[in-house]
Amino acid sequence: MSTTERPRSRPPLRPPTESDFSHRLRGAVVTARVGTWLGVCFLIAFVTGLISHYAQEPNQPIPFPTSPAWGYRVTQGLHIITGTAAVPLLLVKLWSVYPKLFAVPPKRARELAIEVAERASIAVLVAAAIFQLVSGLQNIAHWYTWPFSFRSVHYAVGWLVTGALLLHIAVKLPVIRGAYATPVRDDEPASPGSLDRRGLLRATWAATAVAVLATAGTTVPWLRRVSVLGVRSGDGPQGLPVNRSARAAGVTSRATSGRYTLEVVAGDRTVSLTRDDLLAMTQRTESLPIACVEGWSASAVWTGVRVRDLLDLVDAPRNSDVRVVSLQQRGAFGITHLPGNFADDDRTLLALALHGEPLALDHGYPARLIAPNRPGVLQTKWVTRLEVTA
Ligand SMILES: Nc1nc2c(c(=O)[nH]1)N[C@H]1C(S)=C(S)[C@@H](COP(=O)(O)O)O[C@H]1N2
Ligand SMILES: [Mo]
């Protein structure tokens, strides 16, 4: 806190300084506590983000596991929940420290250099953190204002945030320790009824809880009704959300044409099957979730042919990687990579039915891939070709 006396009459014209923005609620006591939870959220989002990125990598030195089937549902749900919680926390934290932008820089060269270095690292941290939250929310809203690949840039900036965050924590450790040694209620006396530090922190936790509840329902089924901000939470045919409809994917005529076949290819062997041929094969039923990278997820009962049974028709060796090709010719998700351990898992199906009814067109009719513990974006719809690649 500054001890400068404020002039009583006619303040001279001068640029604002830190003390002009002083407020009894600001200070390390509040910043450190909000910052701790913000740091926890960012670190959980980072780890779950690494998992999601790896799960979508075509070349995995260690194969991503197929179990537990609900694993990706939980990690990606946590990713979106912690990212959402970080929004109000970041706003309060920035509010609690922004007067520092107006602090008078030290005069001595050495101190000035340290100050500049620290401010530069904080600038990187703040810019990268805002970018992560904004780009993540935009991705959920399908509002693509950027020309770059969301996944690779969000991933790279995730490392940037984490590095800058760890540096920031290390530099601020003495301040954080001091802040925790000071009780929150050790407040300047406020006039009756005005907000004190405890009130500010409680309001912050409440805002965070509201943000979480408003989005978490997309992951936690019984929260669905309170999730007013949840995107696509249960609407869609057969009680399951739809991210891209058949119409949007431009597949309607090819998917319903009656000339549909599934080709299974390994080397120079090809087998061609109609939907009736597929229905004549042994049918299996599995309960597996669709877990979208956007955070929503929904469990469903799928019936169809085991992918391994299909690969056996062309004598594909065990642990064969498979290219899954959709009728969809535009967009990024028309072709996906199915690693060998997923292709061999007994629960991995080429689904023909959902909840006991023929698959709706928007869910991938005539046939769609469904595998355990696989990001939703790779659960390819309108599948027309399975091709062994290695
Ligand atoms: N061919 C194709 N398959 C696709 C997609 C797509 O755009 N094209 N979207 C994917 C995404 S992002 C998700 S979350 C799931 C959603 O499946 P659903 O619409 O049956 O719920 O399908 C996946 N399969
Ligand atoms: Mo998705």
Side-chain angles (χ1 to χ4, degrees), residues 241-244 292 326 328 333 363 368 376-377 379 381-382:
V242 169
N243 215 334
R244 183 169 286 115
C292 183
S326 169
Q328 180 185 350
F333 311 134
H363 287 308
R368 71 100 47 91
V377 60
Q379 308 276 32
K381 304 196 269 195
W382 315 293

Side-chain angles (χ1 to χ4, degrees), residues 38-221:
L38 185 59
V40 167
C41 284
F42 265 103
L43 289 177
I44 295 176
F46 179 62
V47 172
T48 51
L50 291 185
I51 293 172
S52 181
H53 190 79
Y54 193 78
Q56 294 176 64
E57 273 300 296
N59 300 312
Q60 299 168 346
I62 303 164
F64 193 77
T66 59
S67 288
W70 42 263
Y72 186 79
R73 181 181 202 184
V74 170
T75 61
Q76 194 60 16
L78 273 175
H79 186 78
I80 302 302
I81 287 173
T82 50
T84 307
V87 174
L89 293 173
L90 182 64
L91 289 175
V92 174
K93 187 160 194 287
L94 292 178
W95 172 82
S96 79
V97 293
Y98 84 83
K100 296 224 180 293
L101 283 173
F102 300 94
V104 182
K107 296 232 160 48
R108 306 219 342 242
R110 204 183 111 83
E111 282 153 26
L112 186 64
I114 294 173
E115 178 86 7
V116 167
E118 204 210 324
R119 283 188 180 213
S121 79
I122 290 178
V124 169
L125 176 57
V126 172
I130 291 173
F131 175 84
Q132 288 303 76
L133 300 183
V134 171
S135 64
L137 288 172
Q138 278 191 240
N139 193 52
I140 293 174
H142 293 198
W143 180 27
Y144 300 110
T145 51
W146 53 77
F148 47 79
S149 144
F150 169 75
R151 182 163 75 94
S152 45
V153 175
H154 197 71
Y155 174 72
V157 179
W159 283 97
L160 199 62
V161 171
T162 307
L165 178 60
L166 294 177
L167 183 69
H168 183 59
I169 294 170
V171 169
K172 292 292 184 193
L173 213 49
V175 181
I176 298 169
R177 283 226 187 90
Y180 272 101
T182 313
V184 175
R185 51 167 82 215
D186 180 20
D187 221 336
E188 287 157 51
S191 54
S194 72
L195 195 66
D196 60 5
R197 279 186 199 142
R198 269 192 303 173
L200 173 68
L201 286 175
R202 282 191 191 139
T204 304
W205 310 146
T208 307
V210 168
V212 166
L213 289 176
T215 48
T218 56
T219 299
V220 185

Side-chain angles (χ1 to χ4, degrees), residues 105-372:
K107 296 232 160 48
R108 306 219 342 242
R110 204 183 111 83
E111 282 153 26
L112 186 64
I114 294 173
E115 178 86 7
V116 167
E118 204 210 324
R119 283 188 180 213
S121 79
I122 290 178
V124 169
L125 176 57
V126 172
I130 291 173
F131 175 84
Q132 288 303 76
L133 300 183
V134 171
S135 64
L137 288 172
Q138 278 191 240
N139 193 52
I140 293 174
H142 293 198
W143 180 27
Y144 300 110
T145 51
W146 53 77
F148 47 79
S149 144
F150 169 75
R151 182 163 75 94
S152 45
V153 175
H154 197 71
Y155 174 72
V157 179
W159 283 97
L160 199 62
V161 171
T162 307
L165 178 60
L166 294 177
L167 183 69
H168 183 59
I169 294 170
V171 169
K172 292 292 184 193
L173 213 49
V175 181
I176 298 169
R177 283 226 187 90
Y180 272 101
T182 313
V184 175
R185 51 167 82 215
D186 180 20
D187 221 336
E188 287 157 51
S191 54
S194 72
L195 195 66
D196 60 5
R197 279 186 199 142
R198 269 192 303 173
L200 173 68
L201 286 175
R202 282 191 191 139
T204 304
W205 310 146
T208 307
V210 168
V212 166
L213 289 176
T215 48
T218 56
T219 299
V220 185
W222 54 265
L223 280 175
R224 203 158 278 163
R225 265 186 282 148
V226 293
S227 287
V228 289
L229 298 180
V231 188
R232 286 165 295 277
S233 53
D235 29 359
Q238 301 172 315
L240 203 66
V242 169
N243 215 334
R244 183 169 286 115
S245 66
R247 212 168 144 232
V251 298
T252 309
S253 62
R254 263 166 291 142
T256 53
S257 82
R259 286 201 311 273
Y260 167 84
T261 57
L262 173 79
E263 289 193 327
V264 188
V265 186
D268 50 12
R269 296 203 52 183
T270 300
V271 168
S272 217
L273 302 153
T274 64
R275 197 179 135 95
D276 284 339
D277 295 334
L278 290 167
L279 284 166
M281 293 177 68
T282 310
Q283 302 292 299
R284 324 269 182 172
T285 295
E286 297 288 346
S287 177
L288 292 171
I290 292 272
C292 183
V293 293
E294 296 159 11
W296 65 262
S297 62
S299 197
V301 179
W302 308 91
T303 304
V305 182
R306 258 186 203 157
V307 165
R308 187 62 241 183
D309 289 351
L310 291 166
L311 296 178
D312 283 343
L313 297 176
V314 289
D315 297 323
R318 303 292 303 175
N319 206 24
S320 295
D321 285 3
V322 176
R323 182 181 296 141
V324 181
V325 183
S326 169
L327 292 170
Q328 180 185 350
Q329 281 160 354
R330 59 176 191 232
F333 311 134
I335 296 178
T336 59
H337 176 88
L338 184 71
N341 60 323
F342 279 81
D344 286 356
D345 193 292
D346 280 347
R347 295 164 295 177
T348 300
L349 303 180
L350 192 71
L352 307 168
L354 168 53
H355 294 311
E357 298 164 26
L359 213 51
L361 187 56
D362 283 342
H363 287 308
Y365 176 92
R368 71 100 47 91
L369 182 75
I370 186 82

